[in-house]
Amino acid sequence: MLFVLCGAIFLEGIDVAMLNVALPSIRADLGMSTGELQWVMSAYVVGYGGFMLLGGRAADLFGRRRMFLLWLTVFLLFSGLGGFAEDGNTLIVARFVTGVAAAFMTPAGLSIITTGFAEGPQRDRALLVYSGTAAGGFSIGLVVGGLLTSADWRWVFFAPVVLSFLILVAALALIPKSERPDRTGQRVDVLGALTVTGAIVLLVFAVERAAHTGVGQTLGTLAAGFALLIVFVLTERRAAAPLVRLGIFRSGPLVRANLAALLFSGGFFGFQFIAVLYLQELRGWSTVQTSLALLVIGIDAALSPTLTPRLVNRFGNARVIFGGLVLAVLSYALFLPVGDDWTYAAMFPSLITLGLAFSLAYGPLTIVATEGIDEEEQGLAGGLLYTSFQFGAALGLSTVTAVNVAATAEGGSAKALLDGYHAALLVPLIAAALAALISAFGLRDRPGATADDAQRTAPVAAEGAAESAETAEAAR
């Protein structure tokens, strides 16, 4: 089961990474403007971030396996449609629906893990393997995308179709069936679903377009998004069966994990965006050279299931998360003075430190965000976390783009480009520092969750063994 679910999250990671590399070729072939090309990425983020909460709740209400299989099929079909697209509008629609499919598929897969493995060391191990696979998909996608694009950019869409089909066949055989959820008295909160989805779509839309539209339009979109968010909160307070039970936010670890995930994701994606621009625009590196240069960040794919579990067992999730975020701050600080003649050896310490930071922060954040949450709300907890990651990515990309554009002088000289990069690199540095500050409040939590769990469950296990012995004696 874990193998199948890791394949699905690997698919989502590799799909996004390959498309990043293929964008210039897509624009050249379809004759898209810069604004239209930006929407090839933005449509996916809007669909993913906008429908994530609804997807998480749907998994809890209608069955996790059912939702996973259904939306994996939709992902397969519309990824293929993107490969056959002959114009920009078709491609944008295909990417939007693919993002919506991922918004339903991903929290369903995560909640299958969190309900299929007992809370404690076993679940933690599974989640760390799962998060490491997601990171590996993104890293490998950078290289595979470059190779496929060199042949034809359409293979960037056809390759996920083949992988999706294999995962779907394996999922039908390996993910166990479960009883249909009891929805007695749990009506679908239609108004809550519409308002929160509309609010998140508008907020993500405003953030994504902030660097490309006027201030008035951006503020108007943000105001509309916040207005819908207020309506959503009021609706949930009165609903008999709310889409999002507001009491879930009383969990301090869950709130800290989501805020830290939002900021960490924003810094991580913003940094990679600027690094790609620096390597390709200023240094003139090819797509494949850039992909190989950033591949070292993918070290987290190896460290997440190996090193991170040991550190979590010894120091606890809160301390490992804090350490990872401090390393992220160090990574961005090391890259901040980048020059127009830096060798790869000069960039390497920053890149490998970022890979280590990701391996320490991402998996434990997933654990903390779902730990202690009732089984019937695991889909919701997963939806909240991935919403934070996606909204953080949109926020980080838009902010670094806006700062970069504002700080780059006209003329396009090497110095002007470098000044813009230096200013934009402050954004991920500040975001990581804020995430570290927020996570520091969790250091007061118990340091050894695994050890505590073992101590807490030992008396229960002993009692169960005693009862079994008495039963056996009575039978004799």
Side-chain angles (χ1 to χ4, degrees):
M1 181 181 71
L2 182 60
F3 173 78
V4 172
L5 298 173
C6 283
I9 199 66
F10 178 87
L11 168 68
E12 196 273 330
I14 199 172
D15 177 79
V16 174
M18 289 194 302
L19 182 60
N20 282 338
V21 178
L23 287 176
S25 299
I26 292 173
R27 172 164 58 180
D29 192 22
L30 298 184
M32 302 177 70
S33 66
T34 302
E36 290 174 328
L37 187 69
Q38 186 262 344
W39 266 107
V40 175
M41 288 298 298
S42 298
Y44 182 87
V45 173
V46 168
Y48 202 157
F51 287 84
M52 183 65 73
L53 282 179
L54 184 58
R57 190 56 178 156
D60 293 332
L61 290 178
F62 301 107
R64 300 176 178 100
R65 183 179 186 270
R66 183 180 295 106
M67 287 293 99
F68 179 81
L69 295 175
L70 171 63
W71 290 99
L72 176 59
T73 304
V74 176
F75 190 99
L76 182 158
L77 294 174
F78 279 85
S79 184
L81 177 62
F84 287 112
E86 294 294 337
D87 60 84
N89 290 334
T90 302
L91 184 57
I92 289 169
V93 170
R95 290 306 294 169
F96 175 77
V97 179
T98 304
V100 173
F104 282 82
M105 177 181 73
T106 304
L110 178 61
S111 60
I112 290 173
I113 293 178
T114 56
T115 56
F117 291 86
E119 185 171 327
Q122 187 183 36
R123 182 192 293 180
D124 292 354
R125 179 80 174 186
L127 289 174
L128 291 172
V129 171
Y130 184 72
S131 62
T133 306
F138 187 84
S139 301
I140 293 172
L142 291 172
V143 178
V144 174
L147 296 175
L148 291 177
T149 302
S150 64
D152 191 332
W153 64 265
R154 296 182 185 277
W155 279 105
V156 168
F157 295 93
F158 293 145
V161 170
V162 177
L163 184 57
S164 299
F165 179 76
L166 295 176
I167 295 171
L168 182 60
V169 172
L172 288 169
L174 298 177
I175 296 181
K177 295 182 179 180
S178 58
E179 295 183 5
R180 299 186 66 174
D182 183 9
R183 298 199 302 273
T184 304
Q186 297 189 47
R187 296 176 298 172
V188 177
D189 182 11
V190 178
L191 182 58
L194 292 175
T195 52
V196 74
T197 300
I200 294 176
V201 167
L202 286 174
L203 292 174
V204 172
F205 177 78
V207 171
E208 280 293 306
R209 296 295 295 164
H212 310 281
T213 59
V215 176
Q217 183 176 342
T218 300
L219 291 177
T221 307
L222 285 173
F226 281 118
L228 279 179
L229 198 58
I230 293 172
V231 173
F232 166 72
V233 172
L234 294 176
T235 300
E236 298 307 280
R237 291 183 64 180
R238 299 174 181 175
L243 177 69
V244 177
R245 185 180 63 84
L246 298 180
I248 198 173
F249 295 108
R250 295 194 185 100
S251 170
L254 179 143
V255 172
R256 283 195 301 271
N258 277 270
L259 290 175
L262 185 149
L263 291 165
F264 179 68
S265 175
F268 183 78
F269 282 94
F271 172 81
Q272 288 202 58
F273 180 72
I274 295 300
V276 168
L277 291 181
Y278 165 75
L279 293 174
Q280 293 192 10
E281 288 187 348
L282 185 62
R283 302 301 299 276
W285 289 22
S286 68
T287 301
V288 175
Q289 286 175 314
T290 301
S291 300
L292 292 173
L294 297 179
L295 184 60
V296 67
I297 300 176
I299 191 176
D300 60 311
L303 295 180
S304 289
T306 55
L307 174 64
T308 307
R310 297 180 181 179
L311 295 177
V312 167
N313 286 338
R314 181 168 182 179
F315 301 106
N317 287 307
R319 286 169 171 75
V320 174
I321 291 170
F322 180 73
L325 295 174
V326 170
L327 284 177
V329 174
L330 175 62
S331 169
Y332 302 144
L334 288 173
F335 205 84
L336 194 59
V338 63
D340 58 3
D341 58 350
W342 266 29
T343 62
Y344 184 67
M347 307 175 208
F348 186 80
S350 176
L351 299 177
I352 196 169
T353 302
L354 183 57
L356 179 58
F358 197 96
S359 68
L360 296 184
Y362 184 74
L365 281 172
T366 305
I367 295 171
V368 173
T370 56
E371 197 172 34
I373 304 300
D374 293 339
E375 181 173 328
E376 61 269 17
E377 291 188 322
Q378 282 293 327
L380 171 60
L384 286 170
L385 178 67
Y386 282 109
T387 298
S388 297
F389 274 122
Q390 289 300 313
F391 188 72
L395 183 64
L397 287 168
S398 297
T399 305
V400 297
T401 300
V403 173
N404 181 42
V405 171
T408 303
E410 295 183 4
S413 65
K415 184 180 183 305
L417 291 175
L418 202 57
D419 289 342
Y421 300 150
H422 284 157
L425 286 170
L426 289 172
V427 175
L429 181 64
I430 294 171
L434 289 174
L437 179 63
I438 290 171
S439 69
F441 289 97
L443 296 179
R444 295 172 297 178
D445 294 347
R446 54 196 179 132
T450 301
D452 290 348
D453 289 339
Q455 293 175 4
R456 186 173 62 252
T457 56
V460 177
E463 182 180 347
E467 290 178 355
S468 297
E470 291 175 2
T471 303
E473 182 63 27
R476 286 196 296 271

